[in-house]
Amino acid sequence: MLKPNQTKMHHEAGEAADAIRRQLAANDAIVAALVERLRAAPPRFIVTCARGSSDHAATFGKYVFETQIGLMTASASPSISSIYQARQQLAGALYIAISQSGGSPDLVRAASGAREAGAHVVALVNIEDSPLAKVADTVVPLRAGPELSVAATKSYLCALSALVHVAARWNGDEALFAALQATPAAMRATWAMDWSPLVDGLAGANNLFVVGRGLGLGAAQEAALKLKETCGLHAEAFSSAEVKHGPMALVGRDFPVLFLTQQDESFAGTREVADEFAARGAKVWLTSPDAAQPQRLPVAAAPHPVCAPLIAVQGFYKAANALSIARGHNPDMPPHLNKVTRTV
């Protein structure tokens, strides 16, 4: 029987901290040149374009840029260009396309169309000679290294790191950049922590919610996708604000809910929702560096709240890999999926 530490997913996710450390050193000159251009010609707004895990990184990027730069950031649908062939008014925009492979035709077409429409196109991509990289004005390599498991792990975390790197340098925030440099150590520490209560609690589950808010919403989206993809477990991601509308009607006794949190202005409200669900008898788990927190999944303290999602997702990936095997799956080979998804 396959053991959790024998999978490509386990190996690759475990490499993420070292990949980020290398990325920060290798990319600083590239990011500095990009920031010089952004300061010389400030964009009017930011647009992100991505699919799958990369789109969850884009959700994180929205909160990073809007909280740290104060610039409106919106998500573009690749189908607007690829199937509707509608030209967008993007003059003066910063257009950030995120992809592990850089090979999906719709994403390449969308980025090319954005450049033709007057946007400055930045590709955050792991394959540096990919079609997406070739149509971009600026390439910020993810530098995750080869990723063979179908489930993207270290490339997702490297995308988060690259987004924070750009924001920190753009804003001239040395404290945030120093925190980002310290994040790989916190990721390694979290990788060694025990998330077996989550694995044991979800081994026989059929459905669950994954909840985050603000900077943590993209992490919740990513966790829900990985649970579907690698564990055959139906999971939905919600903001801790949105889950209190219609979705909360489903949360009753033994309904599982995973909360991915960060120690910022969102924590108190998210904790209140977790407490409310626990009072109904729901199975609740909540990431926290505080050993006194009820229903805690342990994570190392984040050097900055912006960096907390990288640390929480690092712990989650190890648990998801183990849960996949516990449920009789191979996380490296999800059914019906390929490493590179080519949509038009």
Side-chain angles (χ1 to χ4, degrees):
M1 178 179 175
L2 191 66
K3 295 181 180 179
N5 64 358
Q6 294 176 329
T7 68
K8 293 183 178 69
M9 180 179 176
H10 182 275
H11 176 72
E12 290 167 2
E15 293 180 332
D18 287 340
I20 288 172
R21 178 182 54 79
R22 293 191 299 267
Q23 178 204 77
L24 295 177
N27 279 1
D28 207 36
I30 295 170
V31 172
L34 172 61
V35 165
E36 183 178 3
R37 185 206 177 280
L38 296 175
R39 289 175 176 169
R44 297 187 298 120
F45 56 96
I46 301 172
V47 177
T48 62
C49 192
R51 289 204 187 278
S53 289
S54 294
D55 197 37
H56 306 153
T59 299
F60 173 73
K62 171 184 173 65
Y63 284 95
V64 170
F65 289 124
E66 291 189 354
T67 60
Q68 304 304 306
I69 307 299
L71 202 56
M72 180 63 68
T73 304
S75 174
S77 170
S79 63
I80 296 299
S81 299
S82 65
I83 65 171
Y84 293 107
Q85 300 180 9
R87 184 177 174 85
Q88 303 299 291
Q89 298 180 29
L90 294 171
L94 174 63
Y95 193 96
I96 301 177
I98 308 173
S99 175
Q100 188 276 328
S101 70
S104 186
D106 57 351
L107 189 59
V108 174
R109 191 174 302 172
S112 180
R115 188 175 181 182
E116 292 172 3
H120 182 87
V121 175
V122 175
L124 271 58
V125 64
N126 200 37
I127 308 301
E128 296 179 42
D129 61 351
S130 63
L132 177 62
K134 291 175 181 177
V135 303
D137 296 293
T138 301
V139 177
V140 178
L142 298 182
R143 304 189 192 275
E147 193 172 55
L148 302 178
S149 178
V150 170
T153 54
K154 61 179 177 175
S155 62
Y156 171 79
L157 290 168
C158 283
L160 302 195
S161 173
L163 289 162
V164 178
H165 192 173
V166 171
R169 289 307 197 201
W170 190 357
N171 199 31
D173 190 338
E174 292 298 330
L176 177 56
F177 185 66
L180 181 59
Q181 289 178 304
T183 295
M187 292 169 65
R188 289 187 202 96
T190 300
W191 184 255
M193 293 177 179
D194 181 17
W195 281 41
S196 60
L198 181 69
V199 177
D200 295 342
L202 294 179
N206 295 313
N207 303 282
L208 81 153
F209 289 166
V210 187
V211 178
R213 190 166 188 187
L215 291 159
L217 179 59
Q221 294 171 337
E222 171 64 5
L225 174 64
K226 287 296 185 288
L227 290 168
K228 290 190 280 275
E229 181 181 23
T230 67
C231 303
L233 175 54
H234 177 242
E236 290 190 76
F238 292 101
S239 159
S240 59
E242 291 295 336
V243 79
K244 293 199 68 172
H245 293 272
M248 73 185 303
L250 296 176
V251 180
R253 180 159 298 280
D254 294 329
F255 190 94
V257 189
L258 168 61
F259 289 83
L260 300 179
T261 72
Q262 63 277 346
Q263 301 293 314
D264 65 4
E265 295 86 344
S266 71
F267 182 78
T270 301
R271 177 74 256 183
E272 287 179 7
V273 177
D275 289 343
E276 180 178 347
F277 288 175
R280 297 185 198 174
K283 293 181 179 178
V284 169
W285 300 273
L286 181 140
T287 61
S288 174
D290 182 0
Q293 285 289 340
Q295 303 97 26
R296 172 184 181 248
L297 290 173
V299 292
H304 191 290
V306 168
C307 302
L310 286 81
I311 299 165
V313 171
Q314 180 75 94
F316 168 79
Y317 280 154
K318 185 179 178 182
N321 176 76
L323 177 62
S324 175
I325 293 171
R327 290 171 64 89
H329 296 268
N330 181 344
D332 295 333
M333 300 174 61
H336 318 304
L337 297 176
N338 297 305
K339 181 59 182 173
V340 179
T341 303
R342 300 184 184 277
T343 48
V344 177

